Amino acid sequence: PKSAALSLLLRLLGHAALILVSFLMLLPMIWMLSTSLKVSGQEWMFPPQFIPRPVQWRNYIEFMSVLPVPFHRYLINTLTITVFATLGTVLSSSLAAFSFARLRFWGRDRVFFLVISTMMLPGVVTLVPTFLIFRNLNWLNTFLPLTVPYWLGGTAFSVFLMRQFFLSLPYEMDEAARMDGASSFWIYYRIAMPLSGPVLASVVIFQVLDHWNAFMGPLIYLNSMHKYTLSLALRVFQNTRSQRMNYLMAASMVQVLPVIILFFVAQRYFIRGISVTGLAGR
């Protein structure tokens, strides 16, 4: 039938359009990978040569030897900040979200509105006051300004995301647990958190992406090159050896690769977490 043929044609055109858009989105990544494997001098060839000849895998080893500090030090610094800040966000945001969603106290909605309203403030507005606070605490050139605040409430978006999920849980579970003598913390720890795997995965992915790629915070609070993160190391490398584009792209691939792997491994949980919290248009 003509209708079936037309439907098949439209579906094929839709898939072709999606493939084209996907290729355009992946084009910068393809160019970065290709450049990271090129011999010096081939980076600026026109037209671009996407398949390098020969393939120079040694770029991934050689770029580490020209860094002012051993590469593993930058990697350890980035991992330390990312792990501790993410753990703090998950713990403190889940506690705050559980309180806003499952507990009843005076001014709860007003306080939650105040928390959400902080998302409207540009980071530059609070940059100077925050810097002065950390300077008076003698926290400059340490990892504390980049980790401790996330143990004191996490982020407003994480609180909002987890609160939306906790609101979807039936209150009958809380009432049954309280009849058995359970406290609010017991309900949070033994009922709410075990059921919140998808939204926790979403929060973890958002936080890992944020802290792994963070540039402004480490730039402001870290002065010693031995405490630099990967983002700052790439900037230093770009300033000192900007002509070695193949080395720079190799270093960029090393920084981006863990994030890509994390997203593909946790993609199912991430999409499910966004869906169950009502942010997917449902």
Side-chain angles (χ1 to χ4, degrees):
K2 293 184 178 180
S3 59
L6 180 60
S7 176
L8 178 61
L9 178 61
L10 292 176
R11 187 179 305 174
L12 291 176
L13 290 176
H15 287 142
L18 290 175
I19 292 173
L20 177 60
V21 172
S22 301
F23 175 77
L24 293 177
M25 297 293 291
L26 290 174
L27 190 59
M29 182 69 65
I30 296 173
W31 183 86
M32 182 168 62
L33 176 61
S34 173
T35 305
S36 69
L37 298 174
K38 290 180 179 178
V39 180
S40 297
Q42 293 183 353
E43 305 95 332
W44 310 108
M45 291 179 59
F46 186 84
Q49 184 179 1
F50 283 97
I51 301 178
R53 297 185 181 89
V55 176
Q56 193 77 1
W57 291 103
R58 290 186 56 83
N59 291 343
Y60 285 86
I61 303 297
E62 293 176 354
F63 89 86
M64 299 181 186
S65 63
V66 299
L67 292 172
V69 176
F71 177 78
H72 71 271
R73 173 50 52 190
Y74 299 126
L75 182 61
I76 292 174
N77 294 341
T78 307
L79 282 173
T80 301
I81 294 173
T82 301
V83 169
F84 279 97
T86 301
L87 286 177
T89 300
V90 170
L91 179 61
S92 58
S93 295
S94 61
L95 285 170
F98 181 83
S99 301
F100 286 129
R102 314 299 291 187
L103 303 183
R104 295 179 177 87
F105 54 89
W106 183 87
R108 181 188 66 175
D109 295 337
R110 294 184 179 88
V111 175
F112 177 71
F113 177 78
L114 182 63
V115 171
I116 295 302
S117 64
T118 60
M119 297 172 59
M120 305 177 188
L121 286 175
V124 68
V125 174
T126 58
L127 184 61
V128 173
T130 305
F131 178 83
L132 294 177
I133 292 174
F134 292 141
R135 187 188 66 178
N136 293 332
L137 291 173
N138 294 322
W139 284 7
L140 298 185
N141 202 29
T142 68
F143 295 156
L144 296 178
L146 305 173
T147 55
V148 172
Y150 296 96
W151 289 83
L152 305 175
T155 63
F157 179 74
S158 299
V159 173
F160 169 75
L161 197 66
M162 300 193 72
R163 175 183 177 270
Q164 295 301 107
F165 176 81
F166 289 144
L167 285 175
S168 66
L169 300 178
Y171 279 94
E172 289 76 10
M173 294 190 302
D174 295 17
E175 296 171 355
R178 293 187 189 281
M179 290 180 63
D180 291 335
S183 63
S184 297
F185 184 79
W186 192 95
I187 296 173
Y188 158 81
Y189 178 69
R190 299 299 297 271
I191 297 179
M193 291 302 287
L195 295 174
S196 57
V199 70
L200 285 177
S202 300
V203 172
V204 168
I205 291 175
F206 279 126
Q207 291 303 305
V208 169
L209 288 174
D210 187 25
H211 297 295
W212 186 268
N213 298 319
F215 178 79
M216 186 60 67
L219 178 66
I220 294 173
Y221 298 114
L222 301 179
N223 303 324
S224 172
M225 195 168 293
H226 287 271
K227 295 183 179 180
Y228 276 8
T229 60
L230 288 174
S231 297
L232 295 183
L234 288 178
R235 185 59 181 175
V236 172
F237 185 86
Q238 183 180 7
N239 290 338
T240 56
R241 297 179 179 270
S242 58
Q243 71 278 10
R244 301 303 298 268
M245 186 60 65
N246 53 348
Y247 285 4
L248 181 61
M249 292 299 103
S252 301
M253 280 299 302
V254 171
Q255 182 183 6
V256 170
L257 189 60
V259 176
I260 296 176
I261 294 174
L262 172 66
F263 178 78
F264 279 104
V265 169
Q267 181 181 12
R268 180 180 60 179
Y269 303 100
F270 172 73
I271 295 175
R272 185 181 173 194
I274 294 297
S275 300
V276 298
T277 54
L279 296 183
R282 299 193 338 177

